[in-house]
Amino acid sequence: MSATGASVEGVLRQAASLLAAGGIEQPRHEARILLGHVMGLSRERLLVAHRNPVDAPLVDQLMGLARRRAAHEPIAYLTGEREFWGLSFEVTRDTLIPRPDSETLIEAVLEAANRERRENARIVDFGVGGGCLLVSLLKELPGVEGFGVDRSVGALKVARRNARRHGVSSRAHFLAGSWGRSLAPAFDLIIANPPYVAAADGTSLMPEVAEYEPAGALFAGARGDEAYRALAPDFARLLAPGGRVFVELGAGMGDRVAAILGGSGLAESGRRKDLAGIERCAIFDLSGA
Ligand SMILES: C[S@@+](CC[C@H](N)C(=O)[O-])C[C@H]1O[C@@H](n2cnc3c(N)ncnc32)[C@H](O)[C@@H]1O
């Protein structure tokens, strides 16, 4: 059914009521994001245009997206983008949606890179996904060369597009594979936001996450620490003397991760909390380095 002649205000109301019926918490706000997306208009332009007519095909497109959102598909997958570190990143069903918590890792790397004058460092991002971490860092550190590894070929395609979108593709190299198996030393900075949800916790995830985000980006075995265990020997083998490893932590996993990496000869040198006060990033170097 199309609503020829409907105004911006009218279709917003229609979409918002569909979203409210689906239990979406901010229906009006999200309806505006979806309408802005289908009309190619910023939020400010939409506000000014609230009496303007909306073409029937666009109304149909909006209502299709609103129905998917009402079924709890994440809005980032509907609009195809999410902001991270002040940059707009393409996201698809192959990629995890970037989380603001992960900006903690960016802050930690930038602080160390600036303090330690690592202008020409080589950096590798294990589990690069859609590239939000690596691309943000390459943008901030113009002399740095970056490598991104992921076993998801679909995610790597998105990462390459994001590197192009932000003008860093000449310094960004993407490789398909499992963690560091195919890499040779040495890297000055190693970063990883690995999967860290325990299999048993899957049932407590929000439907937006559990039903739509890639399971391979979320789950890491019975206790949620399998990826850290698999990565630890690669970190130790690939890290340059004097280099640093930055890993994102699942909530409450800091001590366990420190023990796992410690078993491969890495010593923890600090932790950082996210905005909610949760320890979110741990920093390691080679013991005795
Ligand atoms: C939590 S997501 C992180 C994505 C992105 N770096 C971010 O911070 O938003 C974890 C990523 O690790 C990748 N991954 C899982 N197991 C892997 C493996 N054995 N080797 C390489 N990448 C893997 C997943 O495909 C996923 O893209």
Side-chain angles (χ1 to χ4, degrees):
M1 188 180 67
S2 65
T4 316
S7 66
V8 162
E9 181 54 33
V11 297
L12 270 180
R13 227 178 295 127
Q14 219 180 316
S17 82
L18 217 159
L19 295 176
I24 299 301
E25 275 177 21
Q26 295 183 289
R28 177 95 189 161
H29 171 70
E30 296 210 3
R32 221 179 275 128
I33 293 175
L34 292 177
L35 184 57
H37 170 68
V38 301
M39 293 182 78
L41 291 181
S42 68
R43 220 168 305 166
E44 295 73 29
R45 293 282 308 279
L46 261 190
L47 282 175
V48 181
H50 70 285
R51 288 216 178 94
N52 291 7
V54 185
D55 292 342
L58 295 185
V59 176
D60 290 343
Q61 206 184 325
L62 170 70
M63 296 315 283
L65 292 178
R67 268 189 288 280
R68 286 166 62 187
R69 182 64 190 125
H72 291 266
E73 184 164 346
I75 198 155
Y77 289 147
L78 300 177
T79 60
E81 60 185 6
R82 172 55 48 95
E83 190 177 307
F84 180 83
W85 198 252
L87 301 169
S88 165
F89 283 90
E90 178 186 341
V91 296
T92 71
R93 290 286 296 274
D94 285 318
T95 66
L96 191 85
I97 299 168
R99 309 292 204 264
D101 298 343
S102 301
E103 294 185 352
T104 313
L105 194 145
I106 301 284
E107 287 164 3
V109 175
L110 289 180
E111 191 186 288
N114 290 327
R115 190 183 56 235
E116 296 162 8
R117 306 196 54 83
R118 296 184 186 270
E119 289 90 353
N120 302 311
R122 267 161 58 94
I123 183 167
V124 60
D125 178 353
F126 288 121
V128 67
C132 64
L133 298 176
L134 187 66
V135 169
S136 299
L137 286 171
L138 291 178
K139 201 78 192 143
E140 293 281 352
L141 302 166
V144 164
E145 184 162 28
F147 297 79
V149 179
D150 209 288
R151 68 178 171 191
S152 163
V153 172
L156 288 172
K157 286 186 186 157
V158 178
R160 284 193 186 94
R161 289 199 289 272
N162 278 322
R164 267 201 301 279
R165 177 186 283 211
H166 294 297
V168 298
S169 52
S170 63
R171 294 182 289 123
H173 315 281
F174 295 102
L175 307 140
S178 188
W179 302 137
R181 307 297 178 268
S182 58
L183 293 181
F187 294 91
D188 309 294
L189 302 169
I190 297 180
I191 64 171
N193 173 17
Y196 50 65
V197 179
D201 292 340
T203 50
S204 56
L205 293 175
M206 286 164 52
E208 270 89 344
V209 179
E211 287 167 30
Y212 292 98
E213 296 201 75
L218 297 170
F219 295 105
R223 302 187 64 220
D225 57 14
E226 249 171 35
Y228 296 112
R229 288 184 191 283
L231 279 163
D234 283 342
F235 288 161
R237 181 175 65 83
L238 295 169
L239 192 62
R244 289 191 191 278
V245 178
F246 301 79
V247 282
E248 179 159 320
L249 299 172
M253 292 177 85
D255 291 348
R256 200 158 17 124
V257 171
I260 292 168
L261 271 56
S264 289
L266 292 152
E268 188 177 7
S269 60
R271 276 185 210 174
R272 277 181 91 102
K273 292 182 177 164
D274 64 20
L275 288 175
I278 294 169
E279 288 181 342
R280 191 54 73 191
C281 173
I283 307 162
F284 296 85
D285 47 38
L286 289 167
S287 310

